[in-house]
Amino acid sequence: MLLALAAALAWPPCSPASEQAPATTKPEEVLKGLRTFLEKSAEENGSFRPGVDPAYEGISDSAYSDLAPATYAVILHKTFGWKLPAEGKTRDFFLSRQQEDGAFVNAKGTVDSKSPQARVYNTTQGLVALRALGAQPRYDPLPVFAEVMKGDYKTLPAYSTSFFPLAFAACGKPFPEEADRKMRKLMVQADDGYLNDHIAATFHAVHYFRLLGEETPKAEAILKRVLKDQKDDGSWLLNPPSRDRHATFDAVFVLRQLGKGRKDCQLAMEKAAGWALTCRNKDGGFGHYPGSPSDMDAVYFQTGTLIMAGFLKPVDPAPKDPHLLGWGHLFPQP
């Protein structure tokens, strides 16, 4: 999903089996481990590392931009109503990463902070985090997206579509009609409803239409393929892991938003939750697949899967504007 932007990165070796957490069906144990992982990943300046080990550089989003682990840590704390270790410092960390042109930038990571991809990715993540923290950006960030929409948007990966309306919504602004028309021309669906023959691009299309409050075209066809593609283990790891790091989260979001309480969709989500739990490690975090190291990126997406499937419960009452907290794990059903 988000980032197979970093799909070219080599997949690290699996953690030893001894590092995996014992199987559990107790939500309270999962939440306790999650809090431990977050506490041990916190940095003095208010940001967060990809993992517990300071030498671990992360994979996927966490390797792509150092804004990602901090954003996902904020989202997880707000999801469960937990207090951040140093919320003021975390807010200041994000504010310090915005430039006068409105763009947020990464200091570490594989992406060139000046590229159109990075400007869209980092700025969206920064805006989501600040909104969750109840803070405003120092500079107007929307010109960043207006500039990309002049032409560079055509070169972005197919899974970049919903970044745009999410960023505008995080600013409390409607998505411009002209930008919407341009983006829709890129979202060409196959007969089965999929975009680019992959769940990531399809997820972002569904997310896009949900953010705009519209029906997703070919929803029934999409559901049919999503259900068909689920593996026996409950996941959607159909391609090499580097391409499917977020596939199970993506599929579960689609099932929850388009399935509208259908029994077959609920059963598929419950099966996905069982698989997500097999990705849990002894440090309390989650890997992208069983045996992979805990990574803040995987922690967010596996936790999101468990929430959407009903295994974990978010704080009650829900945070303000829950549909804008991350990538839709708290998005209300239509």
Side-chain angles (χ1 to χ4, degrees), residues 222-304:
I222 293 173
L223 282 174
K224 182 178 180 180
R225 175 164 175 185
V226 170
L227 290 168
K228 177 180 68 70
D229 280 353
Q230 187 176 27
K231 294 179 64 177
D232 289 342
D233 63 8
S235 77
W236 277 263
L237 289 178
L238 307 175
N239 302 287
S242 62
R243 191 170 181 229
D244 284 350
R245 288 168 185 158
H246 307 134
T248 300
F249 175 99
D250 296 348
V252 170
F253 177 90
V254 170
L255 290 171
R256 187 170 187 275
Q257 293 301 316
L258 302 186
K260 300 179 181 179
R262 279 175 35 175
K263 185 175 181 180
D264 55 350
C265 294
Q266 182 59 40
L267 290 174
M269 289 191 291
E270 292 173 3
K271 191 174 181 180
W275 176 81
L277 289 171
T278 68
C279 300
R280 185 168 171 260
N281 295 316
K282 283 187 175 181
D283 59 12
F286 291 82
H288 282 286
Y289 65 93
S292 65
S294 294
D295 187 288
M296 192 71 76
D297 174 56
V299 170
Y300 166 67
F301 287 103
Q302 304 291 18
T303 300

Side-chain angles (χ1 to χ4, degrees), residues 37-307:
F37 176 84
L38 290 169
E39 290 169 0
K40 292 184 177 180
S41 300
E43 294 277 27
E44 181 66 28
N45 68 350
S47 68
F48 287 80
R49 297 187 299 274
V52 172
D53 184 354
Y56 176 64
E57 296 182 351
I59 48 181
S60 197
D61 289 32
S62 296
Y64 188 73
S65 167
D66 62 350
L67 287 179
T71 298
Y72 292 140
V74 168
I75 290 169
L76 290 167
H77 279 88
K78 297 301 179 180
T79 292
F80 296 110
W82 298 336
K83 185 178 179 181
L84 283 150
E87 185 158 322
K89 288 184 177 181
T90 301
R91 181 190 62 246
D92 291 344
F93 166 77
F94 282 102
L95 291 173
S96 72
R97 291 301 187 87
Q98 189 183 26
Q99 298 179 321
E100 291 186 12
D101 66 356
F104 287 74
V105 296
N106 57 298
K108 297 180 182 178
T110 60
V111 69
D112 177 359
S113 63
K114 297 180 181 179
S115 68
Q117 283 187 9
R119 288 168 65 81
V120 169
Y121 180 86
N122 286 327
T123 305
T124 301
Q125 293 282 50
L127 291 173
V128 167
L130 286 178
R131 187 179 180 92
L133 292 167
Q136 296 289 329
R138 288 175 172 165
Y139 309 102
D140 181 6
L142 296 184
V144 173
F145 299 91
E147 182 65 28
V148 173
M149 288 305 299
K150 290 180 180 179
D152 286 329
Y153 73 98
K154 297 178 182 179
T155 69
L156 300 181
Y159 33 81
S160 301
T161 52
S162 69
F163 281 75
F164 290 82
L166 177 59
F168 274 80
C171 290
K173 302 291 185 180
F175 192 45
E177 291 183 5
E178 181 181 359
D180 181 33
R181 286 195 296 271
K182 289 180 177 180
M183 197 61 70
R184 288 176 192 244
K185 290 182 179 179
L186 299 181
M187 294 191 290
V188 180
Q189 294 175 279
D191 291 341
D192 62 6
Y194 263 45
L195 280 73
N196 289 67
D197 195 33
H198 198 270
I199 187 58
T202 307
F203 155 79
H204 277 284
V206 175
H207 189 222
Y208 182 99
F209 287 113
R210 288 294 291 121
L211 285 167
L212 296 184
E214 298 184 17
E215 294 288 331
T216 300
K218 301 184 179 181
E220 285 299 320
I222 293 173
L223 282 174
K224 182 178 180 180
R225 175 164 175 185
V226 170
L227 290 168
K228 177 180 68 70
D229 280 353
Q230 187 176 27
K231 294 179 64 177
D232 289 342
D233 63 8
S235 77
W236 277 263
L237 289 178
L238 307 175
N239 302 287
S242 62
R243 191 170 181 229
D244 284 350
R245 288 168 185 158
H246 307 134
T248 300
F249 175 99
D250 296 348
V252 170
F253 177 90
V254 170
L255 290 171
R256 187 170 187 275
Q257 293 301 316
L258 302 186
K260 300 179 181 179
R262 279 175 35 175
K263 185 175 181 180
D264 55 350
C265 294
Q266 182 59 40
L267 290 174
M269 289 191 291
E270 292 173 3
K271 191 174 181 180
W275 176 81
L277 289 171
T278 68
C279 300
R280 185 168 171 260
N281 295 316
K282 283 187 175 181
D283 59 12
F286 291 82
H288 282 286
Y289 65 93
S292 65
S294 294
D295 187 288
M296 192 71 76
D297 174 56
V299 170
Y300 166 67
F301 287 103
Q302 304 291 18
T303 300
T305 295
L306 294 172
I307 291 171

